[in-house]
Amino acid sequence: MSDHEEVLARIRQGAFYTESEASFQNGQRRADLVFEYNRTPPGEAGRRRELLEAILGSVGARTVLLPPFHAGFGSNVHIGDDFFGNVNLTFVDDVEIRIGHGVMIAPSVTLTTTGHPIHPGLREDFRRFSEPIVIEDKVWIGSNVVVLPGVRIGYGAVIGAGSVVSRDIPAMTVAVGVPCRVARPITDEDLKARTFPAA
C-alpha cells in the first residue's frame, strides 16, 4: 500500500491525519472556481450553472445556490435536484457531503465533515479527522445551523435556526437546540399550520 493509499484509508476510517499527509489531495480543491462563482453577476444563470458543475462532485437539476458560498474542496459535495442554498453556505468537505432532493438551507449554515483533537498536543500540522455528512431528501435547515462530522439528517426533518447538530436526526422530526435534539414529530397537523405549534 502506498503512502497516499494509507492516508486515504485512515481518512475513510475517521482516524487522525495531518495537513502534510493529505496535501496530495490539494489538486481536487476548487478555490479559484468558487471565487469566480461568487463574483458572477445574478443575470448570468448559465455561467453559474457551468461553474457549479465544474466545482461540485455532482449537482442536480433546478439547483439554486446563492453566492457567496464557501467550500474547502467543492469536489466532495454532491447535491440532488430542486436544492435551494441561501447565502453564506459553507461546506467543509474534506470528505463527502451528500445532499438529497428538495433540500432547503437558510443563510449562514456550516456543514463540516472535519474536527480536531481535543488535546493541543495532538493538533500539530492541523491534525484532524473527517466523517461524511448525509442530508436526506426534503430536509429544511434553518439559519446559522452547524452540522458536525458524521451526521445524517433524515427525510423531511426540520432543523431549527441556530442549532448545532452533533448526532443523527430521525426522519420527519423537528429538532432544535445546542446540542440539537428532537422536539417533536412532524404530523399531518402541520399541513394546516404556517408556524409550528408548541412542542
Side-chain angles (χ1 to χ4, degrees):
M1 180 182 290
S2 73
D3 289 346
H4 291 178
E5 289 170 333
E6 189 271 332
V7 172
L8 288 172
R10 274 194 281 131
I11 292 171
R12 284 192 291 270
Q13 293 163 4
F16 289 139
Y17 63 99
T18 69
E19 178 71 18
S20 297
E21 289 173 327
S23 63
F24 67 91
Q25 297 184 95
N26 285 342
Q28 299 171 38
R29 295 183 186 272
R30 305 291 185 254
D32 288 345
L33 293 174
V34 171
F35 180 82
E36 185 178 348
Y37 183 90
N38 288 335
R39 293 172 55 94
T40 304
E44 294 187 13
R47 179 62 179 148
R48 281 191 179 173
R49 176 68 193 193
E50 180 181 287
L51 285 166
L52 267 190
E53 290 176 355
I55 293 166
L56 302 181
S58 60
V59 57
R62 298 171 302 280
T63 293
V64 176
L65 179 53
L66 298 182
F69 85 98
H70 311 280
F73 285 84
S75 55
N76 289 325
V77 177
H78 302 271
I79 295 176
D81 298 338
D82 300 307
F83 171 82
F84 181 85
N86 216 315
V87 297
N88 293 319
L89 176 53
T90 298
F91 300 106
V92 182
D93 62 319
D94 293 310
V95 295
E96 284 192 344
I97 296 173
R98 293 208 164 263
I99 299 173
H101 304 304
V103 171
M104 298 190 304
I105 299 181
S108 300
V109 167
T110 298
L111 308 177
T112 180
T113 65
T114 296
H116 299 276
I118 291 172
H119 196 287
L122 294 175
R123 291 200 296 266
E124 70 276 357
D125 196 11
F126 306 108
R127 183 174 277 122
R128 56 193 181 261
F129 65 90
S130 299
E131 297 177 353
I133 289 171
V134 176
I135 299 171
E136 296 182 6
D137 296 350
K138 302 287 188 178
V139 168
W140 170 28
I141 298 177
S143 298
N144 296 300
V145 166
V146 177
V147 179
L148 295 177
V151 165
R152 175 181 287 267
I153 300 176
Y155 174 91
V158 173
I159 309 298
S163 297
V164 176
V165 189
S166 58
R167 63 187 71 175
D168 291 353
I169 301 298
M172 294 297 287
T173 59
V174 176
V176 298
V178 180
C180 190
R181 299 181 193 281
V182 172
R184 66 176 184 83
I186 296 171
T187 70
D188 287 349
E189 287 300 306
D190 293 304
L191 294 169
K192 306 171 189 173
R194 188 184 74 84
T195 58
F196 298 115

